[in-house]
Structure formats: C-alpha cells, structure tokens
Amino acid sequence: LMQATLHSPLYNVRLCRDDEIAANRDQKALGQRLVELHARAGIRGCFQNYSFIMAQEVLALMSFFTSYEWLKLKTTSWLRHQLDDSGEKDVWGWTIAACGSGVVLSAVGTPFENLLAWHVAERSKAQPRGVWKHFLKEPSRSRRSILFGGMRSKLLIAPLAGLPLLAYEIMVHQGMAPRFHP
C-alpha cells in the first residue's frame, strides 16, 4: 500500500517528462514537475492509475514473499526428512526458496512492467489516460505480446532477485539481524 502510494505520483510525473521529451521542451527537475502536476491536475492527477500501480505492487510483492515462505517450508522440510535432520543443510533449502521466489516475482511483475512501458510509449491524446482503459482498447491478439514480451530473458536472471531474502535469512540465523515476532 505504501509503495503504491509513493509510486503513483512518480509514475504520473514520468508521463509528464515523456511528454516534455516528445515535445522537445526543456526538461525539468523531479520536484518541479511534481509541483506543476499538482497545480495542473490536483491530487487526482497525482494519483491517476493508482489502481494499476496498487495491483502491481501488491500482487508482485505478495507473490514474492509468500512463495519464499512456502518454498522455504517445503525445501527445508524435505532436506531435514531426506538428508540431514539436524538443520545444518537448511541453507540449501533457503537458497532454492530464494531463487524460486525471484522467478515468481519476475513472472508476476513483468506483465505489469511491460504494460506500463507500452502505455507510456503508445499513448496519445486520443487514447485514454488510464493504463487499463488504454490496454482494453488494444486488439486482443496483441495483448499477449504486450504482457509477456521479454519474459524469457527476464526469467534467466530472475533467481537473483531472491538473493536479498537469502542474505536476510542467513543473517537472522547467525544473529546478525533482528527477528520480528508477530
């Protein structure tokens, strides 16, 4: 929720910046663009497409952390049952879980990123300003390529996205990071 709230004005400022570039006008600083956007369109203009950004952030991050915890539970359980019941090999389970969650993050987040990039590149005055409305006006045969374009190349490096989870897990178990208890 917090991330989407912070990203919405930045996304809309990016749209204004792209308009400036297309019109060959002087580009302005981020703060200046944000003030102008607010003066021109108010709070509503700053948070245009909030539902799209909220869906992107919530779904991608929820999938990322949930898949990590689920995979960690499954892999460490399997390792303890099959290889080493002492828990000393748990780090291998955490590694698999972290890499798997990176793939999930990429698989869920890439269509949203592609859709946003497509919207910014293809929008015009005649197109709706909202991402969803613009996308739904596109012929259905091209929607798949918009959403899943470049997915294969991203999936190759996707396991790296989970490595911060692995680092945190190791730090927690070695007493180098705080543990959060509900």
Side-chain angles (χ1 to χ4, degrees):
L1 183 63
M2 180 60 81
Q3 223 168 323
T5 303
L6 294 173
H7 283 173
S8 291
L10 295 175
Y11 162 76
N12 289 305
V13 164
R14 177 180 169 193
L15 292 178
C16 294
R17 184 200 72 204
D18 292 344
D19 289 343
E20 289 173 2
I21 292 170
N24 289 325
R25 292 190 304 242
D26 290 335
Q27 295 183 36
K28 299 173 180 131
L30 174 66
Q32 195 175 9
R33 276 196 229 114
L34 189 56
V35 168
E36 286 181 6
L37 175 64
H38 185 267
R40 185 176 62 249
I43 290 293
R44 183 180 171 128
C46 291
F47 289 94
Q48 183 177 352
N49 295 310
Y50 185 77
S51 62
F52 171 81
I53 297 165
M54 174 70 92
Q56 175 186 10
E57 297 293 341
V58 168
L59 292 174
L61 292 175
M62 179 185 67
S63 300
F64 180 58
F65 290 110
T66 303
S67 65
Y68 175 72
E69 289 298 326
W70 184 82
L71 288 168
K72 182 176 77 168
L73 177 70
K74 294 298 183 184
T75 56
T76 55
S77 175
W78 182 86
L79 284 167
R80 286 182 182 201
H81 181 71
Q82 298 293 328
L83 298 176
D84 177 27
D85 60 357
S86 71
E88 289 183 22
K89 305 272 189 226
D90 284 358
V91 72
W92 296 109
W94 305 337
T95 303
I96 292 167
C99 291
S101 65
V103 171
V104 169
L105 176 66
S106 186
V108 173
T110 296
F112 285 100
E113 293 167 11
N114 288 349
L115 184 55
L116 178 60
W118 169 82
H119 173 68
V120 169
E122 298 295 323
R123 72 187 177 88
S124 66
K125 296 289 183 198
Q127 296 291 344
R129 295 221 16 116
V131 176
W132 296 123
K133 289 178 183 176
H134 185 189
F135 181 67
L136 292 174
K137 293 216 180 259
E138 189 68 17
S140 60
R141 66 184 174 278
S142 65
R143 290 181 192 164
R144 181 177 291 172
S145 64
I146 292 169
L147 292 175
F148 300 109
M151 180 73 84
R152 286 187 184 141
S153 61
K154 286 186 177 184
L155 287 177
L156 291 174
I157 61 168
L160 299 176
L163 293 181
L165 292 176
L166 174 62
Y168 179 75
E169 192 76 43
I170 291 169
M171 288 179 0
V172 164
H173 286 277
Q174 301 217 345
M176 297 172 17
R179 284 183 181 254
F180 298 103
H181 298 285

